[in-house]
Amino acid sequence: MSDAANETKPLGWAVIGTGWMTRTHMVRAINKASGSKVVAVLSSSQERAEEFAKEFDIPNAYSSLDDLVADPAVDVVFVSSTNELHKPQTLAAASAGKHVLCEKPLSTNIQDGLDIVEACRESGVVLGTNHYRRLKTTIQTVRRLIAEGAIGRPILARATSTGWLSEEQQTWRLTSVEAGGGVVLDIGVHDADLLRYLLDDEVDEVSAATGHSGLLKGELEDYAVTTLRFRNGTIATSTVSFCTPGSIGAIEVMGSEGTIFARDLLADKLGGEIYLRRGGLDLEKVDIGSEEEHYAEAVHQFNEAVRGNGAPAVTGEDGVQSLAVAIAALRSAERGTVVKLSEVLTESALVAS
Ligand SMILES: NC(=O)C1=CN([C@@H]2O[C@H](COP(=O)(O)OP(=O)(O)OC[C@H]3O[C@@H](n4cnc5c(N)ncnc54)[C@H](OP(=O)(O)O)[C@@H]3O)[C@@H](O)[C@H]2O)C=CC1
Ligand SMILES: O=C1CO[C@H](CO)[C@@H](O)[C@@H]1O
């Protein structure tokens, strides 16, 4: 493990990828969070790495993964490449003793996800998955209300994560199975993680239907509905799309004593509204208070975990579990049957043994 874990100097972070996520959110979040600074960037092109480094004032620019992970200034690697690269890049970082915050989906299949978790455990480095929604103040408010019993026992839940994929993002997400494209692995995996977090429960079985609208530039599924049966009996749905502009992202959890409805809080920006209705009472608007910036908060909690204080907000194991739900959904849609999560997880364990 890098020495910086026990020191008070800022942790040096490297970012892998010069695309939308690093550019729009994460370089700023890493520099904003207490105790960290971006010190290196990796691109598949040295020229692009250098341009990015210049634009964001990053000291070291690389196009060789080996050189990046050998850089002594790097304590943590943020893996934000296309999804099929998450595993080789995480394994290289872990074997060099660097901690890893990896983008979602953790990988494109369960075995790779399990290999990532195992490699980080063996190397003694911290691993996190960047499912940012858990860090949103609004989502934490909904979870707290459920945990406090505001709606009694959750019976039904729904997450609606729909919208229009921007022109610049209409690339591998719509065309590449190898890169983990398709709306289920891209967005359905966020809903899986969100519902697991809100309900504090694990998924038992999944059924799903997927569709291809023909409205966007690609062949992969761009809308889907998944039904998730949780172990304690709650039945939830996840409705996702890339192809429905103007959609209203929402969460609804209906319990034995009331309902929580929340809207416009699932996007990567701040904001949203939460309502609560108990029994026959009026709809009550819940005060959210001041919101934390979720990406910086994810980095802050990861820094704390590296320094030995707690675990990252979303662990590697969470990444595998949420990925398993998305993979079960794709399998269900393909076969037209209900898929048990244990089937998806056990097959991988059998392959590994
Ligand atoms: N948690 C969240 O809120 C979000 C998560 N994501 C996730 O982030 C990841 C990246 O998505 P996004 O930024 O939108 O995608 P982009 O298509 O914008 O970027 C993909 C990146 O992969 C990089 N890349 C490809 N090959 C290599 C390589 N050999 N070595 C290093 N980098 C490489 C590219 O960098 P270059 O061309 O410079 O090599 C490019 O920057 C995905 O896993 C996605 O699911 C995305 C958006 C939001
Ligand atoms: O949360 C997110 C915002 O949208 C992106 C494009 O669909 C996703 O990849 C990402 O995970």
Side-chain angles (χ1 to χ4, degrees), residues 18-21 43-44 48 83 103-104 132 172-173 295:
T18 58
W20 188 86
M21 189 56 185
S43 167
S44 53
R48 214 160 31 245
N83 305 321
E103 264 309 338
K104 47 52 63 179
Y132 67 93
W172 56 268
R173 281 182 176 82
Y295 291 115

Side-chain angles (χ1 to χ4, degrees), residues 101-179:
L101 178 61
C102 184
E103 264 309 338
K104 47 52 63 179
L106 186 61
S107 55
T108 54
N109 63 72
I110 296 297
Q111 190 55 54
D112 283 357
L114 292 170
D115 291 347
I116 286 174
V117 169
E118 181 57 16
C120 290
R121 196 191 58 73
E122 268 182 12
S123 300
V125 300
V126 176
L127 169 67
T129 313
N130 203 26
H131 280 295
Y132 67 93
R133 289 169 171 183
R134 290 189 187 215
L135 280 305
K136 297 187 96 172
T137 308
T138 46
I139 301 294
Q140 289 171 358
T141 304
V142 174
R143 179 175 146 107
R144 178 179 52 73
L145 287 168
I146 297 169
E148 287 172 357
I151 57 164
R153 180 162 65 91
I155 307 289
L156 292 165
R158 70 177 173 96
T160 306
S161 302
T162 49
W164 182 262
L165 193 62
S166 69
E167 184 85 17
E168 66 172 310
Q169 290 180 313
Q170 290 185 34
T171 56
W172 56 268
R173 281 182 176 82
L174 296 169
T175 57
S176 175
V177 172
E178 192 209 355

Side-chain angles (χ1 to χ4, degrees), residues 62-350:
Y62 297 102
S63 52
S64 152
L65 179 60
D66 289 346
D67 290 349
L68 177 95
V69 300
D71 184 339
V74 173
D75 305 299
V76 179
V77 176
F78 172 60
V79 175
S80 188
S81 49
T82 48
N83 305 321
E84 82 286 11
L85 297 171
H86 293 180
K87 176 178 169 179
Q89 290 168 343
T90 299
L91 264 50
S95 69
K98 313 295 181 181
H99 308 279
V100 178
L101 178 61
C102 184
E103 264 309 338
K104 47 52 63 179
L106 186 61
S107 55
T108 54
N109 63 72
I110 296 297
Q111 190 55 54
D112 283 357
L114 292 170
D115 291 347
I116 286 174
V117 169
E118 181 57 16
C120 290
R121 196 191 58 73
E122 268 182 12
S123 300
V125 300
V126 176
L127 169 67
T129 313
N130 203 26
H131 280 295
Y132 67 93
R133 289 169 171 183
R134 290 189 187 215
L135 280 305
K136 297 187 96 172
T137 308
T138 46
I139 301 294
Q140 289 171 358
T141 304
V142 174
R143 179 175 146 107
R144 178 179 52 73
L145 287 168
I146 297 169
E148 287 172 357
I151 57 164
R153 180 162 65 91
I155 307 289
L156 292 165
R158 70 177 173 96
T160 306
S161 302
T162 49
W164 182 262
L165 193 62
S166 69
E167 184 85 17
E168 66 172 310
Q169 290 180 313
Q170 290 185 34
T171 56
W172 56 268
R173 281 182 176 82
L174 296 169
T175 57
S176 175
V177 172
E178 192 209 355
V183 72
V184 174
L185 277 180
D186 193 52
I187 303 292
V189 74
H190 271 317
D191 275 4
D193 194 71
L194 173 76
L195 289 162
R196 291 178 53 240
Y197 178 67
L198 289 180
L199 298 169
D200 197 15
D201 198 4
E202 293 298 345
V203 174
D204 180 29
E205 61 182 32
V206 168
S207 58
T210 60
H212 176 247
S213 68
L215 296 169
L216 305 172
K217 296 177 193 155
E219 308 78 44
L220 297 182
E221 93 279 351
D222 55 13
Y223 62 102
V225 178
T226 303
T227 303
L228 307 88
R229 184 187 290 278
F230 280 80
R231 287 182 189 163
N232 71 3
T234 310
I235 298 178
T237 54
S238 151
T239 300
V240 292
S241 79
F242 282 154
C243 56
T244 53
S247 302
I248 299 169
I251 299 168
E252 193 167 10
V253 186
M254 291 142 276
S256 54
E257 293 166 31
T259 290
I260 296 168
F261 173 72
R263 66 174 191 193
D264 289 330
L265 74 176
L266 294 181
D268 50 359
K269 8 183 211 314
L270 299 180
E273 292 177 347
I274 303 173
Y275 297 90
L276 174 64
R277 174 176 278 153
R278 281 181 258 225
L281 301 179
D282 286 345
L283 199 61
E284 180 190 325
K285 188 166 181 187
V286 177
D287 182 18
I288 295 162
S290 68
E291 277 188 80
E292 294 291 336
E293 205 283 287
H294 42 274
Y295 291 115
E297 187 55 27
V299 172
H300 169 70
Q301 287 195 24
F302 194 91
N303 289 340
E304 285 299 300
V306 169
R307 295 193 190 283
N309 304 320
V314 193
T315 62
E317 286 82 356
D318 282 316
V320 172
Q321 206 71 28
S322 298
L323 174 67
V325 176
I327 287 176
L330 287 171
R331 190 173 293 182
S332 164
E334 194 184 319
R335 289 184 188 163
T337 59
V338 173
V339 174
K340 285 266 179 204
L341 215 68
S342 55
E343 175 195 319
V344 175
L345 289 163
T346 317
E347 268 168 22
S348 302
L350 289 175

